[in-house]
Each structure stands twice: as C-alpha cells, then as structure tokens.
Amino acid sequence: MSEILDQLNEAQQQAVTCSDGPVMVIAGAGSGKTRVLTYRIAYMLSKGVDPFQVLALTFTNKAAREMKERIISLVGRSDARNVWMGTFHSIFARILRVEGHLLGYPQNFTIYDTDDSKNLIKHIIKDLQLDTKVYTPGMILSRISAAKSNLISADEYMLNSDIMDNDRIAGRPMTGEIFLHYRARCFKASAMDFDDLLFNTNMLLRDFPEVLLKYQRKFKYILVDEYQDTNHAQYLIVKKLAARHENICVVGDDAQSIYSFRGANIQNILNFRNDYPDVKTFKLEQNYRSTKVIVNAANSIISKNKDQIFKQVWTDNEDGSLIQVLKAASDTEEGTLVANSVFQTKMNLQLPNSDFAILYRTNAQSRTIEEAFRKLNIPYRIYGGLSFYKRKEIKDLLAYFRLVVNTNDDEAFNRIINFPARGIGNTTLDKLQLAAANENVSLFEVAASVSGYVPNLARSTSAKIEEFAIMIASFHAQLHKTSAYELGRKIASHSGLFKELAADQSEEGLSRLQNSEELLNALKDFSEKEESLFPGESDTEPEENREARSLDLFMQEIALLTDADSDNEDDNNKVSLMTIHAAKGLEFPYVYIVGVEENLFPSMMSLQSRADIEEERRLFYVAITRAEKRVTLSYAESRYRWGNLTMNEPSRFLEEIDETYIEQTTRRVQVKPSASSPVMQKAPVFIKKNLKKITDDESGTVASYETPTELIQPGVEVEHERFGKGKVLSIEGNGSNIKATVFFNAVGQKQLLLKFAKLRIV
C-alpha cells in the first residue's frame, strides 16, 4: 500500500485515500487526473474492496484500457480484471445485453454507428417523400440525438409544442414523424444507436425497480472520469446507481468543459455539492506538463470566467519561452508563416515532427496549413481522419458479420444482399422491402421464404435470394460453435468478398484486400486473448461463449470503438493537425493555435450569451494547456470563409492573456516584392527607383508594408485587404483625390480612392 501512495504528491494522496462517501476531485490541466483515478482503484483493491463491486466509467476505451493496465501493474491481474471499467456506452451496453429483454430487445442486438443511423434516416426520408435538401440525414440525426440525450422519447417529442413549433419555424415540421419511424425501424431491426444505450439504460432503471436495486447493490463504489463532460442522461444514471451507498467519486475540471454541443452539461460538476452536501472536495493544482509561462498565461485567461470552481494551477517546471503571436495579412500567409516557424524550430532544435501540433477551431482551416506544409515537405496527418473501421471494404465485411449475429439487421441486409453482385437489383429489393413492411418482419425473414412473401419474382431471382439466406443461416448456426476468427474467415471466403477484392490488382485494390486481411488478424487476436476489452464480462457473458470467443462478442467490442481509440503507427513522426475539441486529453511540446480571430475564435455562433462565450474561453484554455514547452498563436487580417473574403479583428482572447507572458514583437509575413521578383522585373523604371526599403523588426522577420500611392500605375498587379488580388486598369485625378480603377479576380472591377485603399504591389 505504501508503494502506491509513495508515488503521489500530498494532494493526490488525500484524494486517493478518501475512499468512502461522495468525493469530487477537481483536477487542473496536467495535474495527474488519470493517475489519481487509477491509484484510487488500486488503493481500494489493496484495502480489500471486492473488485466486482467497483464501477469505473470513462469516455474512451483507450482510457479504460490504459487505466486497467496501470492497475494490473500495481495490484496484479486477478483483481484488476474483475473491475467493471469501461466507457459509459460499453458498460451500459453490457447491462442491456443482460437486461434488455425487459424492454423487448434480444441479447444480440446490433449497435448502429453514425453512418448506419444516417443511412436508415435517408431511407425514411425517401419513404416519406420529403425533400432531402431540407431534411438532411445529418441534421435530423443531430435533432434526434439531442432529444434522446435529454431523455425525450419520440412520443414525447411529438407532444411537446415548443419542440414542434421550433421544427415548423425551421421549415422541417416532419422531423418528429421521422423520429417516430426511426425509433420503430431500429426496434424492428433489434438495433440501438449510441444514444439508445443511454436512453434505454435510463428507462430500464426507471421502470424496473428490481433491476435498479440489483445494480445499486452490485456497484458499491462508483468512479467517473471527465465528469464535466457528462450529459443529462449520464448524470441521471450515475445518480441512480450511486443512491444506495453514495460512495461516488467524480474527477474532472470545469475549466475543460467544452462539449455542450454534444449535450455535456457543465452544471453537473458545478452543482455536485447540491446533490451530495457532505461531499469532500480535493483540488489537484500542480501542473506537471507545461512551463510556468504556459500555466500562468492559461490561468490569466480562465480567470475571466464567472461560472467556475476556483483553483490556482501552478508548476515547478522551468519558466520557458514567452507566447509568440504571429500576424498575417491573409489566411494563406498565416499558413506560410506557421509552416516556416515549424520548419525553423524543427531544424534549429533537431526535433521530430511529432513534437508539433497545429490546432484550429474549424476543420476548414486546415487547407491553407496543409498547402504550406506540402511546399516545405513537412509530413503531417489530419487527426480524426477516416478510421480503419469506417473504410468501405471493412464496413462491407462487418455488415456480413452483423447480419450473421442479428438476422433482423435490415441495414446490414441492404448493404450486402447484392455485394458481391448476385443479380439482385433495386427493383427486386424494393419488392422485398415492401413485403417486409406490410408483414412487419425483417428483410432476412422475407428472403428466407421469398417465394411465399413475393410470389411474382422470377424463379432465378428467387433462387439467388434464397441461396443468400441459406448461406447467412448456416453461418448463424455456427455462431457459438466456433471462434470469431474461424467463422469470420469462412464468411469472408464463402460470401465471395475475398474473391471480389483479389480480382482488383490495382494498388488501391491490393490495399483494400490487405485491410480486410487485417480485420481477420484482429479477429484472430480477439479469439486468442484471455479477456475482453471490457471488464466485468465474466459474469455477464453467456456460458456457451466462454469456451470460444465468438463473433457476436467481437462485434460488440468494435461497435463501441471511437476515433480516439485508434492508433496509426505510420503517423508516428508527423505533425498533428486537428480541431481543438479533438486535442482534448492530448499533449505536445510545441503547439500552434491558428485563426485566433473574432467571429472565428470565439465562434460567431457563441456571441449570444455569456455561457457560450465562457465555453469558448474554456476551449481556448484547453488549447493552450495542450503545450508542454511553447505556445504560438496566429491570426489573419483577412480570410476566405464560405467563398467570401472577410476582414478580421484579433480575438478578444488575445487581449485577455496577461501581457507579461507574451512576446511583444508581433511577426508578419513579408509582403513587399523584392527587386529581383518577376513582377518588379517587368515594372516601370520609376517604380523600381522609388521602391522603398523596409527594415527588419527585432525578431528578424519583415514588417508590414503599404505601397506609396505614387507607385500605383496602370498595368501594375496589386492586392487589397478586402478584395484580394487585381490589376490596375487606369488612374485619374491628382493630389489626395487620385482614384484607381482596378479589376479584382474575386469581385470584378472597382474604383478606389488611393489614399484610403491601402493597395500593395504584388
């Protein structure tokens, strides 16, 4: 036990050893939050707490896996493996596998990912003959998700006059109707989406007191990571489960609550004391990650927020470099300046690319950064790109697996009934879908007896459909008799998928085949390993599954993986480009935060209320605290957004940083053409003669430049802050009234008064 505590500072020790009653741990950025949660569990197990009575909830499987490995190293595998540790969704899915029959779901229900849900909604919109440009699947799914996160069912949605009025005002009055159809189609397919895992667990605990009591008794100790990110549904489940013993420990940082758009409610952590008046609060305030400059600058920013739990984060690390601010005339120049800075820092200090991260508010900002990186041959990766399990060839094979596990899964059936091609066209599929809808049965059931359900089909077509159904049924019969790997390889081979992929000998085709082989490798690893990704499996897994690790268990694991759980080894030495939201929980030695401008960061959508502005400020705080050694901020005076050139002001957040921690020299990209440039070689002699020199600033970069009006002549190419690049057509007037007629590439011909135009020769 002393070995466990000796590795913690005093504040961490206090949080770890207070194991009974309600506890809240407020953990500043870089203060060892995960360590406290892990050591707290290890400490309880070393004191004799039954691991089966410990429930630990996280937000990613990766976090759960890392914590579990640490606990194993501290107390041994036998105890650690029996702790119920996993994401909210994985733990609740496991409970629903056991108890879901009370809600009418079979144990082998399918879990739909976002793509599955969007495809189903797309079919519903088509069936209802609605305009797909008005009722976009992504928007409808977002609306449904928000409702379910707030525990609003489809029926309650339809009865809520405020919600229905909002839909009518938005021009989408049929949203509730789509919601009703979506719920019915999911239930018919024995499927739940991610929101259903929370919604249905709440329903289970609300409507079946015996189930609630069972899990209240089971989970004597409950720990929740990143509590500030919980939504209303997660909050209520945790509150119900903890009500009997009240041995609940929540760990989080209100200053890092940035997911309100996903339903996260910061009030859950701010009001924790209201739910548990005798709560003991511990603050972890020592930052082990960042320099003093970074920590103090971040403190100066977040102190402007009104809604927060006060803490004073500090560090014993070195002072470090001041925060640099890079100013550019345009977003293109911003990309160039950032790329140059990364390149110079990397070369001067002999650093790997992986030491650098570029963070932005919106994904669209990556384009100019990517272009600048390509010019300098700086390797990079877009974090959160297409994950392995979202590739087409993988989703095709997984659709076969899904249908074998759950023959009611109509979305899986639709995807693979004619892939590889079996001569079953859309007209035939429409007939199958009509029969399934009329008889209220699954598409597979129609296919298994197609001549009875759809008697007017050609005999050859009926034979192909029945042959497909027999193949799936034969695989299903082997589900619990053979390992996931053996069955998966049979499916890949006998379905014709491998033959189809092998026929394409192009580089892309070979890559798709290799990806499919990699999925089978994953199946092999799964079949051979001793325990599941998800703890607590041992007492919920059916007896017949414990001998062979079956395909349905594998499908349950990967259905709950998120982008944050994927590791791409080939990306190890590349600069990371990502949104700030995606960067939460990560850290890098050198961090660049780009686009620090009003209406971009803070977002234009967040200027309507103090609460929204405070969330944007928390997002800025999160961005800065990702850095270990140096932070660089950049902004552009002009930027193309939605195809239009916009003029920008520096973000208010720049002014909120204590100037003590900012390097006073603001850098800017060189915009003055050199005498040897192609433009100047063709320029009139008097322009070359009058070209003014500009001095370098203290940092060694070139200061901003504005061309004198007397140098603006017909035929010269110029740039305007708002209108972009153009060519001078004519000059008229004299003195302070000189006007130039300029044809701009983006907006056409404009006449400008030169004393105000601030044109620059390019």
Side-chain angles (χ1 to χ4, degrees), residues 427-429 431-432 450-451 454-462 465:
T427 302
T428 300
L429 190 54
K431 291 178 181 178
L432 298 183
V450 68
S451 55
V454 193
N456 58 341
L457 281 181
R459 182 174 299 178
S460 59
T461 303
S462 294
I465 294 171

Side-chain angles (χ1 to χ4, degrees), residues 371-547:
E371 290 174 357
F373 274 26
R374 284 196 292 268
K375 288 176 182 176
L376 291 178
N377 291 320
I378 299 174
Y380 65 89
R381 68 158 177 167
I382 303 292
Y383 193 91
L386 188 65
S387 69
F388 177 79
Y389 287 102
K390 290 189 180 295
R391 299 178 189 275
K392 180 186 181 302
E393 62 273 16
I394 300 302
K395 288 190 73 83
D396 289 336
L397 187 48
L398 290 178
Y400 272 95
F401 295 172
R402 279 170 45 185
L403 191 60
V404 168
V405 171
N406 172 18
T407 55
N408 290 334
D409 191 339
D410 286 352
E411 285 304 304
F413 183 98
N414 281 326
R415 187 178 184 103
I416 63 175
I417 179 61
N418 198 41
F419 187 79
R422 298 183 176 86
I424 301 170
N426 290 335
T427 302
T428 300
L429 190 54
D430 287 343
K431 291 178 181 178
L432 298 183
Q433 289 171 339
L434 181 61
N438 289 339
E439 300 297 328
N440 195 31
V441 296
S442 69
L443 286 168
F444 178 81
E445 186 169 334
V446 171
S449 305
V450 68
S451 55
Y453 283 106
V454 193
N456 58 341
L457 281 181
R459 182 174 299 178
S460 59
T461 303
S462 294
K464 293 172 186 173
I465 294 171
E466 289 177 348
E467 183 181 345
F468 171 79
I470 290 170
M471 176 182 68
I472 297 298
S474 69
F475 292 146
H476 182 76
Q478 301 173 58
L479 187 59
H480 294 142
K481 297 178 181 178
T482 185
S483 72
Y485 172 69
E486 291 171 355
L487 182 54
R489 181 161 282 283
K490 282 183 183 178
I491 293 170
S493 176
H494 295 174
S495 66
L497 267 182
F498 267 17
K499 183 178 179 181
E500 176 87 4
L501 292 170
D504 184 354
Q505 290 297 304
S506 67
E507 186 175 341
E508 293 82 4
L510 292 174
S511 176
R512 285 191 286 270
L513 181 60
Q514 289 168 355
N515 286 337
S516 298
E517 285 283 2
E518 185 58 32
L519 179 60
L520 293 185
N521 291 339
L523 277 171
K524 190 171 183 64
D525 289 343
F526 172 85
S527 299
E528 293 176 352
K529 69 182 179 180
E530 292 182 6
E531 59 184 278
S532 169
L533 167 69
F534 303 117
E537 179 183 280
S538 55
D539 59 348
T540 61
E541 185 178 337
E543 188 68 38
E544 64 269 20
N545 289 352
R546 296 183 193 174
E547 292 290 329

Side-chain angles (χ1 to χ4, degrees), residues 40 162 168 184 189 192 502 511 527 541 548 566 572 640 680 743:
R40 183 180 171 86
D162 290 338
R168 276 190 288 270
M192 297 186 200
S511 176
S527 299
E541 185 178 337
S566 60
N572 279 351
Y640 275 98
M680 295 310 298
F743 182 83

Side-chain angles (χ1 to χ4, degrees), residues 243-257:
R244 184 176 180 84
H245 300 289
E246 290 199 348
N247 292 325
I248 177 171
C249 173
V250 301
V251 181
D253 181 7
D254 57 291
Q256 297 186 65
S257 178

Side-chain angles (χ1 to χ4, degrees), residues 1 4-5 7-20 23 25 32-44 46-47 223 249 282 284:
M1 191 186 310
I4 294 175
L5 299 180
Q7 301 178 49
L8 305 173
N9 65 33
E10 185 177 349
Q12 292 171 336
Q13 287 181 12
Q14 292 174 356
V16 163
T17 56
C18 183
S19 54
D20 291 327
V23 169
V25 180
K33 168 183 64 67
T34 304
R35 170 178 286 259
V36 165
L37 205 56
T38 303
Y39 278 61
R40 183 180 171 86
I41 295 172
Y43 177 81
M44 289 193 298
S46 70
K47 294 278 287 183
L223 302 94
C249 173
F282 301 94
L284 307 182

